[in-house]
C-alpha cells in the first residue's frame, strides 16, 4: 500500500501536516528541525495496540533478540549477543526512512536460519535484492596497526545473491527509485516462523548518483591469477561508489580511458611515473598532453611512505622534476603518502596520510587512506562497528575529496612472500582470513574489499553507506549548514590528525546512534521542500 499526501500538501506534510497513516516516524526524524520527541518514545506509542501484526510477542526489554534487523555497519561475530534494540525494529514492526535514490542495507539476524524474504507492495518503486552472507574465519585477531580487533571467531561478510537467503544473518538491499513518490509504503519481512510488517517512508529528498569519492588500488595481476573478470570487478565497485583502478601506465591509457569515464565521473586519475627523475620528466610531459582539455587531472605517488630524511629528499628531488616538466595542481599532481615536512617546501601538490588532515589550519591539499581507530574506522574483517561507515562522515567534516584504499583485491600476500614465486597460494578466508602478514603485523582481509570472482562484502556495503551519508550531509547543508554541521560534529567530533593517539575513537559504536543522525539529516534536507 502507498499512502501519500496530495501534491499541493507535500511541503506542509514535512512540517508535521498531512501526516500519512502510521507516520509517527516523522516526529522522530524531524527532531533536528522541529524540536520533536525522541525515537524511543514515539516508537513505543506506535507499537501500542499493534501486537496482532506479529505472530509472537516482543522480547522483554534487555533480553537478547532472536530476530533483529540491523544495518550493514553493525559488525557481529556468529555467536555474539544480538542487540536487544535497534532504531529500525521495535519488536513489532520495521520502520525505515529513506531518500529517493538511497540504498538501505538490512542484516536480518534470525536464530537457526531458514528462508527469509522481503516484499513491498506493488507500485512501491523500490528494488529489493537478497543475499546470503558467508562467514569468514578470524583465527588471529588483527594487530594494533589496524586499530585492534573485535576478537577471533566467524564473521559474516561475503555477499552471495539469493532471492530468499537462508543464512544467519541474511542481507537485503532496498533501493528506492528516483521516481518513487514521497509517502509511506508497506510490506513484510518473512522468516521461517514469523512475519513482520515493514513501513518504508520515502522523504521528498533525492540523492544524486553515488559519486566515486573512493579510489581503491588494484594490482591487475590479481584478477588474472584468480580467473576473475577485471571489467566486471570495476563495474561492481563503481556501484558501491568506488573507483577500482591501478596507477595507469602511459601505454595502457587508451584502453583505461574508456573504463574510467570522463570528468563528471572522476576528476583525479591515478597514473604511474618512474621514481627516477630523468625518466619521470618525459612521462609527466606525456601525461599532461594526454589530459589536456579533458577536465581531468592525473596524479602519481611514485615514492610511497618515505620515513627517513634521505627518502624525503628523494621525494623533493622528484617533485622538483615534475614541476620542471610542467606539473602542478591543475596539470599533474605530485603526491606523497606522508604529512607535510619542511624538506618538501611547496613542491608537493597533494599529501595523503592518516594524520595529514585537520579541521583547521591546513594550507595544503589533503587526502587520506585506509584507516584505524581513533583516526578513522578500520577496513579489516574483525573491526569494531561501525568501521568504514565513518569514512563518509570524516570525509565531509575534513573536506577530503578522495579516500585512497590500499588495496581492494589483495588476494595474494605479494609484499610478504617475495622469496616465493608468484602467484603464491591465494587467500582462503574460509580457513584463515589473514591477508597481510609481515611477521609483526597481520590483518584479516586487510586490502580485501571483494573476494575472488568479485564477490562483494558487507564491508564494501558499509563503505557505501558512509558515502551515502556524505551525500545526505551535502543536501542538509544546502538547506541549513549550521544544523548539518551540528549533526556531523556531534557524531564525529574529531578524527584523522585531530585524534588523540591511544584514546578510544571519538565516534559512537552503536548503530542506532548513526541511524538517528542519518534521519536527522533527511529531516533537515526535507525541510527545504516544506518551504
Amino acid at each position: 500500500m502507498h499512502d501519500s499526501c496530495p501534491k499541493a500538501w507535500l511541503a506542509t506534510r514535512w512540517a508535521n501536516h498531512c501526516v500519512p497513516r502510521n507516520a509517527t516516524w516523522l516526529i522522530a526524524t524531524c527532531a533536528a528541525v522541529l524540536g520533536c520527541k525522541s525515537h524511543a518514545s514515539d516508537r513505543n506509542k506506535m507499537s501500542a495496540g499493534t501486537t496482532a501484526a506479529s505472530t509472537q510477542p516482543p522480547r522483554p526489554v534487555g533480553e537478547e533478540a532472536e530476530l533483529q534487523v540491523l544495518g550493514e555497519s553493525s559488525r557481529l561475530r556468529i555467536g555474539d549477543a544480538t542487540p536487544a534494540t535497534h532504531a529500525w525494529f521495535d519488536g513489532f514492526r520495521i520502520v525505515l526512512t529513506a531518500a529517493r535514490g538511497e540504498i538501505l542495507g538490512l542484516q536480518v539476524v534470525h536464530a537457526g536460519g531458514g528462508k527469509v524474504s522481503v516484499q513491498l507492495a506493488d507500485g512501491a518503486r523500490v528494488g529489493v535484492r537478497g543475499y546470503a552472507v558467508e562467514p569468514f574465519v578470524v583465527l588471529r585477531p588483527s594487530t594494533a596497526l589496524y586499530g585492534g580487533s573485535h576478537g577471533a571467531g566467524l564473521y559474516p561478510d561475503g555477499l552471495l545473491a539469493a532471492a530468499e537467503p537462508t543464512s544467519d544473518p541474511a542481507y537485503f538491499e532496498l533501493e528506492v527509485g528516483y521516481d518513487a513518490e514521497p509517502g509511506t509504503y508497506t510490506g513484510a519481512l518473512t522468516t521461517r516462523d514469523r512475519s513482520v510488517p515493514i513501513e518504508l517512508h520515502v522523504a521528498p529528498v533525492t540523492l544524486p548518483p553515488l559519486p566515486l569519492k573512493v579510489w581503491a588500488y588494484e594490482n591487475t595481476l590479481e584478477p588474472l591469477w584468480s580467473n576473475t573478470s577485471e571489467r566486471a570487478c570495476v563495474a561492481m565497485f563503481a556501484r558501491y561508489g568506488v573507483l577500482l583502478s591501478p596507477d595507469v601506465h602511459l601505454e595502457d591509457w587508451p584502453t583505461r580511458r574508456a573504463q574510467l569515464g570522463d570528468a563528471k565521473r572522476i576528476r583525479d586519475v591515478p597514473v604511474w611515473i618512474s621514481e627516477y627523475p630523468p625518466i619521470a620528466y618525459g612521462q609527466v610531459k606525456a601525461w599532461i598532453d594526454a589530459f589536456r582539455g579533458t577536465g581531468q587531472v592525473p596524479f602519481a605517488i611514485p615514492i610511497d611512505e618515505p620515513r627517513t630524511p634521505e627518502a624525503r629528499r628523494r621525494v623533493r628531488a622528484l617533485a622538483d622534476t615534475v614541476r620542471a616538466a610542467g606539473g602542478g595542481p591543475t596539470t599533474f599532481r605530485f603526491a606523497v603518502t606522508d604529512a607535510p615536512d619542511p624538506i618538501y617546501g611547496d613542491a608537493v601538490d597533494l599529501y595523503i596520510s592518516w594524520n595529514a588532515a585537520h579541521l583547521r589550519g591546513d594550507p595544503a591539499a589533503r587526502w587520506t587512506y585506509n584507516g584505524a581507530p581513533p583516526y578513522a574506522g578500520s577496513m579489516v574483517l574483525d573491526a569494531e562497528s561501525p568501521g568504514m561507515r565513518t569514512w563518509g562522515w570524516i570525509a565531509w567534516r575534513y573536506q577530503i575529496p578522495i579516500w585512497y584504499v590500499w588495496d581492494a583485491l589483495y588476494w595474494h600476500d605479494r609484499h610478504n612472500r617475495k622469496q616465493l614465486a608468484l602467484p603464491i597460494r591465494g587467500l582462503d578466508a574460509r580457513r584463515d582470513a589473514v591477508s597481510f602478514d609481515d611477521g609483526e603485523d597481520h590483518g584479516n582481509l586487510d586490502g580485501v574489499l571483494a573476494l575472488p570472482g568479485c564477490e562483494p562484502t558487507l564491508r564494501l556495503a558499509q563503505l557505501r553507506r558512509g558515502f551515502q551519508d556524505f551525500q545526505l550531509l551535502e543536501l542538509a547543508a544546502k538547506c541549513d549548514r549550521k544544523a548539518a554541521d551540528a549533526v556531523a560534529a556531534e557524531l564525529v567530533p574529531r578524527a584523522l590528525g585531530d585524534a588523540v593517539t591511544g584514546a578510544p575513537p571519538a565516534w559512537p559504536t552503536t548503530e542506532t546512534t548513526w541511524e538517528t543522525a542519518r534521519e536527522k539529516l533527511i529531516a533537515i534536507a526535507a525541510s527545504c521542500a516544506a518551504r
Side-chain angles (χ1 to χ4, degrees), residues 357-434:
H358 302 81
L359 285 174
R360 295 179 180 84
D362 278 342
R366 318 292 177 110
W367 294 0
T368 191
Y369 70 101
N370 289 19
Y375 312 103
S378 177
M379 70 185 294
V380 295
L381 178 65
D382 48 332
E384 294 284 359
S385 301
M388 287 183 288
R389 184 173 187 171
T390 61
W391 292 9
W393 291 78
I394 295 169
W396 192 81
R397 285 215 76 204
Y398 283 76
Q399 298 300 292
I400 303 294
I402 298 292
W403 203 294
Y404 167 35
V405 176
W406 189 96
D407 189 311
L409 308 178
Y410 194 70
W411 299 333
H412 300 81
D413 196 1
R414 303 183 303 270
H415 292 274
N416 298 307
R417 301 293 183 270
K418 294 179 181 179
Q419 74 278 16
L420 302 176
L422 291 170
I424 56 175
R425 183 175 64 84
L427 173 70
D428 184 357
R430 298 168 185 86
R431 294 178 180 270
D432 183 356
V434 168

Side-chain angles (χ1 to χ4, degrees), residues 443-455:
N444 289 278
L445 297 190
D446 174 35
V448 180
L449 291 180
L451 278 293
C454 268
E455 171 189 326

